[in-house]
Amino acid sequence: MEIQANAKLNLTLDVLGRRPDGYHDMRMIMQSITLSDTLTLEPDGGEELRVQSNLQFLPTGEKNLAAQAALRFWEARGLTPRGMTITIRKNIPVCAGMAGGSSDGAAVLRALNRMEGEPFSPEELARIGARVGSDVPYCVLGGTALAEGRGEELTPLPPLSTCWVVVCKPEFSISTPALFAQIDRVRLRCHPDTRGAVAALEAGDLEGVARRLYNVFEDALPDRQRTRVQEIKSTLIQCGALGASMSGTGPTVFGLFHREDRAREADAQLREYNRETFLAQTV
Ligand code: ATP
């Protein structure tokens, strides 16, 4: 079975505080986009679970989130894992704030559920996904949703009107644990207007959503990286983006566009300096 795993963007991302268990309480609006990995699941009648991909550095065994999802699926079914090869054609940049790994895990859950005659409802599948990672439940359901708690408490939202998205991952990586540690130290200057963004979604007001794109992690970036993120956002806005922001813990930056020609122009300009630049649409 072949299945697509869509990347996600954060239209808003707020960190509400640190919890006694060490995790942070988050509030974020998530949005799926057409940029996707392709997964192929091939049962082989054996006992081994193998994962392979076009990227040499990704884990091939149980450390891969695709394999973890398969193991959690069989566990929830009360069955021993089936022998299978999962092949991932990776297009979503890795460690980029777009939940690429979580989305692969979610795609495996959906594929196995289909192959087994849908024993689980989407909500049950999302609960199984929570054992793999906090972004997996959202990736199982997809679309536009409010995610709270560690990201696993989901409220579906009216879909964002279909628009063009330019996604650009600058050439540096960000340590997610370091950024979370830094967010505890910095005094956040602003928080996203999540309620306003939800109201704009309910009104079908794309400009209203785009005006409210906001990610508190931008305030926690080291100076040089924040400057780079600002530069990409400026290019997107100058090319006609309705709004621009960083996704997740970064460093990916994206802009929303009404007009395809403007999105293509932004894509072309950013691609000159950033290999990992993509043109996509919202799902
Ligand atoms: P998030 O937005 O959820 O924080 P991310 O985009 O920052 O995710 P990912 O690309 O999902 O990060 O995953 C990063 C880590 O997970 C890497 O260390 C990678 O080795 C590991 N990993 C395990 N399985 C996968 C997979 N299928 N695809 C990508 N990364 C994977």
Side-chain angles (χ1 to χ4, degrees):
M1 176 175 282
E2 192 174 282
I3 191 159
Q4 298 300 121
N6 294 101
K8 68 90 182 150
L9 297 173
N10 291 96
L11 300 179
T12 64
L13 192 162
D14 204 1
V15 178
L16 306 179
R18 205 186 151 108
R19 316 185 328 179
D21 63 7
Y23 289 100
H24 289 76
D25 267 321
M26 320 277 287
R27 183 181 293 140
M28 34 196 187
I29 301 179
M30 321 280 261
Q31 175 64 49
S32 308
I33 59 168
T34 50
L35 175 62
S36 60
D37 296 340
T38 304
L39 286 84
T40 313
L41 284 74
E42 292 169 285
D44 56 18
E47 287 173 4
E48 219 181 312
L49 186 58
R50 270 193 290 260
V51 182
Q52 56 191 30
S53 83
N54 54 317
L55 298 183
Q56 296 298 321
F57 59 85
L58 280 190
T60 52
E62 289 184 14
K63 283 215 170 117
N64 196 297
L65 295 174
Q68 284 179 34
L71 293 174
R72 294 288 89 79
F73 181 87
W74 296 120
E75 187 181 275
R77 290 277 279 147
L79 300 170
T80 49
R82 304 272 163 84
M84 166 172 304
T85 301
I86 301 173
T87 307
I88 308 175
R89 171 89 211 155
K90 209 69 206 155
N91 297 310
I92 305 172
V94 177
C95 290
M98 285 193 278
S102 304
S103 188
D104 291 347
V108 166
L109 291 175
R110 285 188 281 112
L112 290 176
N113 203 41
R114 215 175 292 162
M115 286 159 86
E116 291 282 304
E118 312 273 344
F120 299 114
S121 68
E123 290 70 25
E124 286 168 332
L125 219 48
R127 271 197 292 279
I128 299 169
R131 292 178 222 152
V132 180
S134 11
D135 277 346
V136 180
Y138 163 73
C139 292
V140 168
L141 303 174
T144 311
L146 181 70
E148 294 173 286
R150 285 168 56 189
E152 79 288 19
E153 295 166 21
L154 297 171
T155 311
L157 294 172
L160 180 67
S161 330
T162 303
C163 63
W164 293 92
V165 188
V166 175
V167 171
C168 174
K169 180 185 174 281
E171 304 273 315
F172 57 83
S173 43
I174 282 176
S175 154
T176 300
L179 206 58
F180 269 103
Q182 180 63 6
I183 205 106
D184 292 333
R185 284 194 289 268
V186 294
R187 216 188 141 92
L188 291 174
R189 287 180 293 130
C190 296
H191 290 272
D193 175 14
T194 313
R195 207 178 289 174
V198 170
L201 282 167
E202 283 164 352
D205 172 12
L206 175 61
E207 278 91 350
V209 175
R211 259 200 316 276
R212 292 178 175 85
L213 299 181
Y214 197 88
N215 182 341
V216 291
F217 279 120
E218 285 181 41
D219 281 340
L221 290 175
D223 286 346
R224 274 181 52 195
Q225 299 185 346
R226 188 166 55 233
T227 304
R228 188 71 200 104
V229 165
Q230 291 292 355
E231 284 167 0
I232 296 172
K233 284 168 70 171
S234 298
T235 304
L236 288 162
I237 298 291
Q238 276 161 20
C239 287
L242 303 170
S245 185
M246 188 172 85
S247 185
T249 50
T252 298
V253 181
F254 68 96
L256 301 182
F257 293 80
H258 248 323
R259 285 179 47 177
E260 180 181 354
D261 57 340
R262 297 200 168 164
R264 286 194 185 279
E265 173 59 26
D267 178 53
Q269 280 195 29
L270 289 168
R271 198 179 286 265
E272 279 185 38
Y273 301 100
N274 303 276
R275 205 171 30 88
E276 292 187 284
T277 301
F278 306 89
L279 183 64
Q281 283 186 294
T282 51
V283 176

